[in-house]
Amino acid sequence: MTDLRMDELAAGLSTTRERLDAACAAAGRTTDEVDLVVVTKFHPVDDVIRLARLGVRDVGENRVQEAAAKVADLEAAEPDLAAAIRWNMVGNIQSNKATAVAGWADKVHSVHSVKVANGLDRGRARRAEERGDTDAAPLPVLLQLSLDADTSRGGVARKDLPALADHVAGLENLTLAGLMVVPPLEGEAAEHFADAAQVADEFRRAHPGAVEFSAGMSGDIEAAIAAGSTCVRVGTAIMGPRPVV
Ligand SMILES: *Cc1c(COP(=O)(O)O)cnc(C)c1O
């Protein structure tokens, strides 16, 4: 699969990695402190195959049905590449879909409620049972923080975060890995990231293992890394504009 699209994706990856390097250097950090998740929502499974051939391991999806179909298609078409891909769920999860998400996700960035956490926990147990995997690793999850408490855009309000974190920490089949944020549309991204970083610091005091801070998308990688992001989720800057559906 050497084609024009492959060249496009390679170029997008290399520009993005240069931005990551520069942002880390500017923040006095090293690039290996920041994971890159390539968000492939709305793009076909062939693009995931191309990305895998270009060495990408972390792929992100935000729509449950689309993701499940892509995971199955990749598994069928390219089992070896499929085994190397880590699927990151970054989008809003309805509680009745959470069990299904645990069937394919390798990490979930967007837990916002006890119901979603419980569904993921059950789904992870079911998956281990189906695979006859008696010592399956727990599913790493991040809690999505809603900074403006407009939870219609996903996330848990700041005041409800400690209780949700304690609940998730007590679930057998999940590991509390950290915090995720999508900055509100209003205001400066840099200020929102600084705000979220402060919440993340407090959060780590209560949950020392929850070291991940997932922040930053195509438009605000630099601001997120300056605020301490350990994971940027990049779509458009690598994949190009999302196809209109
Ligand atoms: C789509 C999406 C991204 C990627 O956004 P871009 O602006 O295309 O880089 C990151 N995070 C989440 C939660 C998304 O839904």
Side-chain angles (χ1 to χ4, degrees):
M1 204 185 284
T2 306
D3 53 21
L4 282 176
R5 181 63 176 152
M6 191 90 165
D7 296 344
E8 250 170 46
L9 294 178
L13 273 172
S14 104
T15 327
T16 299
R17 292 204 174 110
E18 280 164 23
R19 280 177 69 189
L20 280 174
D21 287 342
C24 286
R29 308 179 58 198
T30 56
T31 307
D32 61 12
E33 292 173 36
V34 184
D35 295 330
L36 170 62
V37 172
V38 182
V39 180
T40 56
K41 65 186 184 213
F42 292 97
H43 294 280
V45 70
D46 281 351
D47 278 353
V48 179
I49 294 174
R50 291 182 177 96
L51 290 167
R53 296 218 165 114
L54 290 166
V56 169
R57 291 294 167 260
D58 281 297
V59 169
E61 288 290 334
N62 87 333
R63 301 193 307 168
V64 171
Q65 266 175 320
E66 175 186 343
K70 259 187 224 171
V71 172
D73 288 350
L74 182 66
E75 183 67 46
E78 297 281 350
D80 291 345
L81 290 181
I85 291 291
R86 290 185 294 259
W87 293 96
N88 291 255
M89 177 56 178
V90 303
N92 192 37
I93 304 172
Q94 288 173 274
S95 41
N96 62 346
K97 301 282 169 63
T99 312
V101 169
W104 53 264
D106 297 302
K107 185 184 281 188
V108 175
H109 294 233
S110 42
V111 172
H112 71 275
S113 73
V114 164
K115 275 187 182 165
V116 167
N118 289 347
L120 290 171
D121 185 60
R122 267 195 310 276
R124 193 64 172 192
R126 187 178 300 171
R127 173 167 119 157
E129 200 179 293
E130 279 167 7
R131 296 181 177 188
D133 191 351
T134 48
D135 55 11
L139 172 67
V141 302
L142 288 75
L143 308 187
Q144 181 178 348
L145 172 67
S146 170
L147 281 174
D148 56 4
D150 172 9
T151 47
S152 66
R153 295 185 67 231
V156 57
R158 198 183 299 213
K159 67 173 174 42
D160 299 325
L161 181 70
L164 180 58
D166 290 343
H167 180 80
V168 170
L171 293 174
E172 196 179 337
N173 304 295
L174 304 185
T175 296
L176 183 60
L179 213 60
M180 181 271 230
V181 72
V182 178
L185 298 171
E186 296 290 316
E188 287 293 318
E191 279 172 34
H192 292 312
F193 288 137
D195 214 9
Q198 215 169 8
V199 178
D201 278 347
E202 286 165 29
F203 185 69
R204 272 191 292 265
R205 250 170 269 143
H207 299 279
V211 294
E212 295 182 33
F213 178 36
S214 171
M217 312 193 283
S218 293
D220 50 26
I221 289 176
E222 290 78 8
I225 288 177
S229 168
T230 65
C231 174
V232 292
R233 311 173 308 270
V234 180
T236 318
I238 293 169
M239 310 301 296
R242 289 185 265 280
V244 179
V245 288

